[in-house]
Amino acid sequence: MKLFSSATGKHKFAGQLGAFAILTIMFAFAITGSVRAATYQVVGTPVHVGNDPVAIAYNPINGYVYVVSNLDNNVTVLDGSTYKAIANVTVGNAPDAVAVNPATGAVFVADSGDNNVTVLGSDNKQIKNVTVGNDPVAIAYNPINGYVYVADNADNNVTVLDAWTYKQVANVTVGTAPDAVAANPATGAVFVAASGSNSVLVLGSNDAQIANLTVGSVPAAIALNPTPGLVYVANSDDGTVSVIQGPAAPSTSSSSSSSSSSSSSSSSSSSSSSSSSSIPEFPVQVTLALAVTAIIVGSYVYARRITVPRS
Protein backbone atom coordinates (compact mmCIF):
# COMPACT_ATOMS: atom_id res chain seq x y z
CA MET A 1 0.00 0.00 0.00
CA LYS A 2 1.26 3.46 -0.90
CA LEU A 3 1.72 6.10 1.77
CA PHE A 4 -0.55 8.55 -0.06
CA SER A 5 -3.87 7.54 -1.52
CA SER A 6 -4.30 10.78 -3.43
CA ALA A 7 -2.38 13.74 -4.81
CA THR A 8 -3.77 15.79 -1.93
CA GLY A 9 -1.64 13.90 0.55
CA LYS A 10 1.44 14.45 -1.58
CA HIS A 11 0.76 18.17 -1.82
CA LYS A 12 0.14 18.40 1.92
CA PHE A 13 3.43 16.71 2.70
CA ALA A 14 5.27 18.92 0.18
CA GLY A 15 3.83 21.97 1.92
CA GLN A 16 5.01 20.66 5.28
CA LEU A 17 8.46 20.04 3.82
CA GLY A 18 8.66 23.57 2.41
CA ALA A 19 7.56 25.05 5.73
CA PHE A 20 10.19 22.97 7.53
CA ALA A 21 12.94 24.19 5.19
CA ILE A 22 11.88 27.83 5.60
CA LEU A 23 11.75 27.56 9.40
CA THR A 24 15.19 25.94 9.42
CA ILE A 25 16.67 28.76 7.36
CA MET A 26 15.02 31.39 9.59
CA PHE A 27 16.32 29.64 12.70
CA ALA A 28 19.83 29.47 11.26
CA PHE A 29 19.82 33.16 10.43
CA ALA A 30 18.50 33.98 13.91
CA ILE A 31 21.32 32.01 15.52
CA THR A 32 24.06 33.45 13.36
CA GLY A 33 22.60 36.94 13.72
CA SER A 34 22.85 36.66 17.49
CA VAL A 35 26.42 35.42 17.14
CA ARG A 36 27.30 38.47 15.04
CA ALA A 37 25.65 40.84 17.54
CA ALA A 38 27.39 39.19 20.48
CA THR A 39 30.78 39.49 18.77
CA TYR A 40 30.75 43.30 18.78
CA GLN A 41 29.80 44.98 22.03
CA VAL A 42 31.12 47.61 24.39
CA VAL A 43 32.97 45.99 27.29
CA GLY A 44 32.62 47.50 30.74
CA THR A 45 32.71 51.26 31.32
CA PRO A 46 35.01 53.82 29.68
CA VAL A 47 38.52 53.86 31.13
CA HIS A 48 39.73 57.18 32.52
CA VAL A 49 43.02 58.41 31.08
CA GLY A 50 44.63 61.84 30.82
CA ASN A 51 43.21 65.09 29.46
CA ASP A 52 42.64 65.42 25.72
CA PRO A 53 43.57 61.91 24.51
CA VAL A 54 44.39 62.45 20.84
CA ALA A 55 46.15 59.27 19.71
CA ILE A 56 46.24 55.58 20.59
CA ALA A 57 48.28 52.52 19.60
CA TYR A 58 48.45 48.83 20.51
CA ASN A 59 51.75 47.12 21.31
CA PRO A 60 51.73 43.42 20.32
CA ILE A 61 54.94 42.70 22.25
CA ASN A 62 53.56 43.40 25.73
CA GLY A 63 49.83 43.56 25.00
CA TYR A 64 49.58 47.14 26.23
CA VAL A 65 47.64 50.08 24.79
CA TYR A 66 49.31 53.49 24.69
CA VAL A 67 47.07 56.57 24.95
CA VAL A 68 48.57 60.00 24.24
CA SER A 69 47.14 62.75 26.45
CA ASN A 70 47.98 66.03 24.77
CA LEU A 71 47.18 68.42 27.61
CA ASP A 72 48.86 66.34 30.32
CA ASN A 73 52.11 65.74 28.42
CA ASN A 74 51.98 62.06 29.20
CA VAL A 75 51.05 58.62 27.93
CA THR A 76 48.60 56.44 29.82
CA VAL A 77 49.41 52.74 29.48
CA LEU A 78 46.49 50.31 29.63
CA ASP A 79 46.59 46.54 29.99
CA GLY A 80 45.01 45.29 26.77
CA SER A 81 43.33 42.37 28.55
CA THR A 82 42.05 43.91 31.78
CA TYR A 83 41.57 47.44 30.35
CA LYS A 84 43.10 48.90 33.50
CA ALA A 85 45.62 51.74 33.60
CA ILE A 86 48.96 50.36 34.73
CA ALA A 87 51.24 53.34 34.17
CA ASN A 88 51.45 57.04 33.35
CA VAL A 89 54.62 57.96 31.51
CA THR A 90 55.73 61.57 31.18
CA VAL A 91 56.80 62.51 27.67
CA GLY A 92 57.47 65.82 25.90
CA ASN A 93 55.24 68.86 25.58
CA ALA A 94 51.94 68.51 23.69
CA PRO A 95 52.26 64.93 22.38
CA ASP A 96 50.18 64.51 19.25
CA ALA A 97 50.82 61.05 17.78
CA VAL A 98 52.14 57.58 18.61
CA ALA A 99 53.49 54.60 16.67
CA VAL A 100 54.81 51.17 17.69
CA ASN A 101 57.55 48.98 16.28
CA PRO A 102 55.80 45.57 16.46
CA ALA A 103 59.11 43.73 16.19
CA THR A 104 60.74 45.24 19.28
CA GLY A 105 57.86 46.82 21.18
CA ALA A 106 59.47 50.28 21.08
CA VAL A 107 56.93 53.10 21.27
CA PHE A 108 57.48 56.42 19.47
CA VAL A 109 55.62 59.51 20.69
CA ALA A 110 55.69 62.70 18.62
CA ASP A 111 55.89 65.73 20.95
CA SER A 112 54.71 68.67 18.88
CA GLY A 113 55.52 71.26 21.56
CA ASP A 114 59.11 70.14 22.11
CA ASN A 115 59.99 69.21 18.53
CA ASN A 116 61.16 65.77 19.50
CA VAL A 117 60.16 62.12 19.60
CA THR A 118 60.13 60.30 22.93
CA VAL A 119 61.05 56.61 22.62
CA LEU A 120 59.72 54.18 25.21
CA GLY A 121 60.73 50.56 25.63
CA SER A 122 58.25 47.70 25.99
CA ASP A 123 58.84 48.04 29.76
CA ASN A 124 57.39 51.58 29.51
CA LYS A 125 60.66 53.21 30.45
CA GLN A 126 62.03 56.09 28.42
CA ILE A 127 64.88 55.06 26.16
CA LYS A 128 65.66 58.25 24.32
CA ASN A 129 64.53 61.69 23.16
CA VAL A 130 65.24 62.32 19.51
CA THR A 131 65.19 65.84 18.09
CA VAL A 132 63.16 66.18 14.91
CA GLY A 133 61.68 69.12 12.96
CA ASN A 134 59.27 71.80 14.15
CA ASP A 135 55.76 70.78 15.19
CA PRO A 136 55.79 67.00 14.67
CA VAL A 137 52.11 66.12 14.42
CA ALA A 138 52.02 62.66 12.82
CA ILE A 139 54.13 59.53 12.92
CA ALA A 140 54.14 56.11 11.23
CA TYR A 141 56.27 52.96 11.30
CA ASN A 142 57.37 51.29 8.06
CA PRO A 143 57.93 47.52 8.51
CA ILE A 144 59.60 47.16 5.13
CA ASN A 145 62.70 49.23 5.95
CA GLY A 146 62.35 49.52 9.73
CA TYR A 147 62.10 53.32 9.68
CA VAL A 148 59.82 55.72 11.52
CA TYR A 149 58.44 58.70 9.59
CA VAL A 150 57.65 61.92 11.46
CA ALA A 151 55.64 64.68 9.76
CA ASP A 152 57.07 68.07 10.81
CA ASN A 153 54.18 70.39 10.11
CA ALA A 154 55.99 73.74 10.50
CA ASP A 155 59.09 72.69 8.53
CA ASN A 156 57.31 71.16 5.53
CA ASN A 157 59.36 68.00 5.80
CA VAL A 158 59.47 64.47 7.15
CA THR A 159 62.14 63.32 9.57
CA VAL A 160 63.13 59.67 9.09
CA LEU A 161 64.36 57.73 12.13
CA ASP A 162 65.88 54.27 12.36
CA ALA A 163 63.42 52.31 14.54
CA TRP A 164 66.23 50.13 15.91
CA THR A 165 68.99 52.63 16.65
CA TYR A 166 66.67 55.64 17.17
CA LYS A 167 68.98 57.77 15.07
CA GLN A 168 67.94 60.24 12.42
CA VAL A 169 68.73 58.93 8.96
CA ALA A 170 67.10 61.49 6.64
CA ASN A 171 65.09 64.68 6.21
CA VAL A 172 62.76 64.69 3.22
CA THR A 173 61.14 67.87 1.93
CA VAL A 174 57.43 67.40 1.26
CA GLY A 175 54.49 69.72 0.61
CA THR A 176 53.32 72.58 2.80
CA ALA A 177 52.14 71.73 6.34
CA PRO A 178 52.24 67.91 6.38
CA ASP A 179 49.45 66.73 8.66
CA ALA A 180 49.30 62.96 8.19
CA VAL A 181 51.59 60.10 7.25
CA ALA A 182 51.02 56.41 6.58
CA ALA A 183 53.19 53.52 5.38
CA ASN A 184 52.04 50.63 3.20
CA PRO A 185 53.20 47.46 5.01
CA ALA A 186 53.14 45.45 1.78
CA THR A 187 55.14 47.72 -0.53
CA GLY A 188 56.96 50.09 1.84
CA ALA A 189 55.58 53.19 0.10
CA VAL A 190 55.02 56.14 2.45
CA PHE A 191 52.20 58.64 1.91
CA VAL A 192 52.40 62.15 3.35
CA ALA A 193 49.32 64.42 3.27
CA ALA A 194 50.33 68.08 2.97
CA SER A 195 47.32 70.13 4.07
CA GLY A 196 48.80 73.46 2.98
CA SER A 197 49.47 72.42 -0.62
CA ASN A 198 46.51 70.05 -1.09
CA SER A 199 48.80 67.24 -2.11
CA VAL A 200 50.01 63.78 -1.17
CA LEU A 201 53.71 63.03 -1.56
CA VAL A 202 54.64 59.38 -2.13
CA LEU A 203 58.04 58.16 -0.93
CA GLY A 204 59.65 54.82 -1.73
CA SER A 205 61.13 52.60 0.95
CA ASN A 206 64.50 54.24 0.09
CA ASP A 207 62.92 57.65 0.93
CA ALA A 208 63.14 58.87 -2.67
CA GLN A 209 60.12 60.74 -4.02
CA ILE A 210 57.95 58.61 -6.28
CA ALA A 211 55.01 60.92 -6.92
CA ASN A 212 53.41 64.21 -5.91
CA LEU A 213 49.63 64.01 -6.31
CA THR A 214 47.02 66.74 -6.10
CA VAL A 215 44.04 65.84 -3.89
CA GLY A 216 41.16 67.77 -2.29
CA SER A 217 41.32 70.83 -0.08
CA VAL A 218 43.28 70.47 3.20
CA PRO A 219 44.02 66.73 3.30
CA ALA A 220 44.16 65.80 6.99
CA ALA A 221 44.10 62.00 7.29
CA ILE A 222 45.15 58.91 5.35
CA ALA A 223 44.02 55.27 5.39
CA LEU A 224 45.44 52.35 3.42
CA ASN A 225 44.16 49.11 1.95
CA PRO A 226 47.50 47.38 1.23
CA THR A 227 46.23 44.37 -0.73
CA PRO A 228 44.81 46.26 -3.76
CA GLY A 229 47.14 49.23 -3.15
CA LEU A 230 44.40 51.76 -2.46
CA VAL A 231 44.97 54.94 -0.44
CA TYR A 232 42.11 57.02 0.98
CA VAL A 233 42.68 60.69 1.79
CA ALA A 234 40.21 62.69 3.89
CA ASN A 235 40.05 66.32 2.74
CA SER A 236 38.80 68.32 5.70
CA ASP A 237 38.06 71.62 3.97
CA ASP A 238 35.82 70.49 1.12
CA GLY A 239 34.25 67.42 2.70
CA THR A 240 35.64 64.91 0.20
CA VAL A 241 37.79 61.80 0.09
CA SER A 242 40.39 61.36 -2.63
CA VAL A 243 41.26 57.79 -3.66
CA ILE A 244 44.75 56.96 -4.91
CA GLN A 245 45.49 53.72 -6.76
CA GLY A 246 49.01 52.43 -6.18
CA PRO A 247 50.72 49.09 -6.83
CA ALA A 248 48.93 46.10 -5.36
CA ALA A 249 50.60 43.94 -2.74
CA PRO A 250 52.93 41.28 -4.17
CA SER A 251 51.29 37.90 -4.63
CA THR A 252 52.05 35.15 -2.14
CA SER A 253 54.00 33.09 -4.68
CA SER A 254 56.18 35.96 -5.84
CA SER A 255 56.74 37.14 -2.28
CA SER A 256 57.87 33.74 -1.04
CA SER A 257 60.17 33.11 -3.99
CA SER A 258 61.88 36.51 -3.85
CA SER A 259 62.06 36.97 -0.08
CA SER A 260 65.24 36.26 1.88
CA SER A 261 65.13 34.22 5.07
CA SER A 262 65.18 37.40 7.16
CA SER A 263 61.98 38.68 5.60
CA SER A 264 60.16 35.37 5.16
CA SER A 265 58.34 35.59 8.49
CA SER A 266 56.95 39.01 7.67
CA SER A 267 55.92 37.87 4.15
CA SER A 268 54.16 34.77 5.45
CA SER A 269 52.43 36.85 8.11
CA SER A 270 51.06 39.33 5.55
CA SER A 271 50.05 36.56 3.12
CA SER A 272 48.21 34.64 5.85
CA SER A 273 46.38 37.81 6.88
CA SER A 274 45.34 38.52 3.27
CA SER A 275 44.27 34.89 2.83
CA SER A 276 42.16 34.96 5.97
CA SER A 277 40.42 38.10 4.79
CA SER A 278 39.19 36.26 1.68
CA ILE A 279 37.58 33.43 3.68
CA PRO A 280 33.80 33.97 4.19
CA GLU A 281 32.67 34.65 7.73
CA PHE A 282 31.90 31.51 9.72
CA PRO A 283 28.27 32.45 10.55
CA VAL A 284 27.47 32.70 6.83
CA GLN A 285 28.90 29.25 6.24
CA VAL A 286 26.83 27.85 9.11
CA THR A 287 23.67 29.41 7.73
CA LEU A 288 24.17 28.00 4.23
CA ALA A 289 25.15 24.58 5.55
CA LEU A 290 22.02 24.30 7.71
CA ALA A 291 19.76 25.47 4.90
CA VAL A 292 21.22 23.12 2.28
CA THR A 293 21.20 20.18 4.70
CA ALA A 294 17.54 20.75 5.56
CA ILE A 295 16.51 20.87 1.91
CA ILE A 296 18.53 17.78 0.92
CA VAL A 297 17.35 15.67 3.87
CA GLY A 298 13.75 16.78 3.45
CA SER A 299 13.79 16.02 -0.27
CA TYR A 300 15.23 12.56 0.34
CA VAL A 301 12.60 11.71 2.95
CA TYR A 302 9.87 13.03 0.70
CA ALA A 303 11.02 10.93 -2.24
CA ARG A 304 11.31 7.78 -0.12
CA ARG A 305 7.89 8.16 1.43
CA ILE A 306 6.21 8.62 -1.95
CA THR A 307 7.93 5.86 -3.89
CA VAL A 308 8.45 3.12 -1.30
CA PRO A 309 5.27 1.07 -0.54
CA ARG A 310 4.47 -0.08 2.96
CA SER A 311 4.41 -3.76 3.66
Side-chain angles (χ1 to χ4, degrees):
M1 183 177 73
K2 295 280 187 179
L3 174 65
F4 299 115
S5 58
S6 67
T8 303
K10 295 181 181 180
H11 293 157
K12 182 179 179 181
F13 184 75
Q16 292 174 341
L17 174 63
F20 172 72
I22 293 172
L23 288 174
T24 302
I25 294 173
M26 291 174 63
F27 177 71
F29 272 106
I31 293 176
T32 56
S34 65
V35 170
R36 286 169 182 256
T39 302
Y40 303 99
Q41 58 184 329
V42 176
V43 180
T45 57
V47 181
H48 288 286
V49 292
N51 290 306
D52 193 23
V54 295
I56 191 168
Y58 174 74
N59 191 336
I61 296 297
N62 56 19
Y64 293 162
V65 177
Y66 292 78
V67 185
V68 172
S69 302
N70 182 272
L71 295 181
D72 287 345
N73 303 329
N74 74 4
V75 171
T76 301
V77 185
L78 307 178
D79 187 303
S81 299
T82 65
Y83 324 123
K84 294 181 179 179
I86 59 174
N88 278 294
V89 183
T90 300
V91 292
N93 186 37
D96 261 343
V98 60
V100 175
N101 180 345
T104 65
V107 180
F108 300 83
V109 182
D111 306 316
S112 63
D114 284 346
N115 303 326
N116 67 16
V117 169
T118 301
V119 185
L120 307 176
S122 58
D123 58 359
N124 302 326
K125 294 181 179 179
Q126 184 173 317
I127 297 175
K128 194 171 184 178
N129 275 326
V130 184
T131 301
V132 292
N134 289 309
D135 194 20
V137 296
I139 192 167
Y141 172 73
N142 189 341
I144 298 298
N145 57 15
Y147 289 165
V148 174
Y149 292 78
V150 185
D152 304 318
N153 184 273
D155 284 348
N156 304 329
N157 76 358
V158 168
T159 301
V160 185
L161 308 177
D162 188 309
W164 300 80
T165 65
Y166 318 123
K167 294 181 179 180
Q168 187 176 139
V169 296
N171 275 296
V172 183
T173 300
V174 293
T176 305
D179 261 345
V181 60
N184 187 325
T187 64
V190 177
F191 301 85
V192 183
S195 62
S197 54
N198 301 330
S199 62
V200 169
L201 188 81
V202 186
L203 306 176
S205 58
N206 60 354
D207 303 328
Q209 180 177 323
I210 297 175
N212 194 351
L213 308 171
T214 299
V215 291
S217 181
V218 190
I222 296 178
L224 301 172
N225 186 348
T227 303
L230 291 172
V231 182
Y232 306 90
V233 184
N235 307 306
S236 63
D237 191 51
D238 59 11
T240 64
V241 170
S242 299
V243 181
I244 299 170
Q245 176 68 70
S251 65
T252 304
S253 57
S254 62
S255 301
S256 57
S257 62
S258 61
S259 299
S260 63
S261 59
S262 63
S263 62
S264 62
S265 61
S266 122
S267 297
S268 61
S269 152
S270 62
S271 64
S272 65
S273 111
S274 64
S275 298
S276 65
S277 66
S278 64
I279 298 175
E281 292 183 21
F282 181 70
V284 175
Q285 292 177 320
V286 172
T287 301
L288 294 177
L290 287 173
V292 171
T293 300
I295 293 172
I296 292 175
V297 171
S299 300
Y300 175 78
V301 172
Y302 175 72
R304 293 283 296 172
R305 295 185 70 177
I306 291 177
T307 58
V308 178
R310 288 184 175 180
S311 56

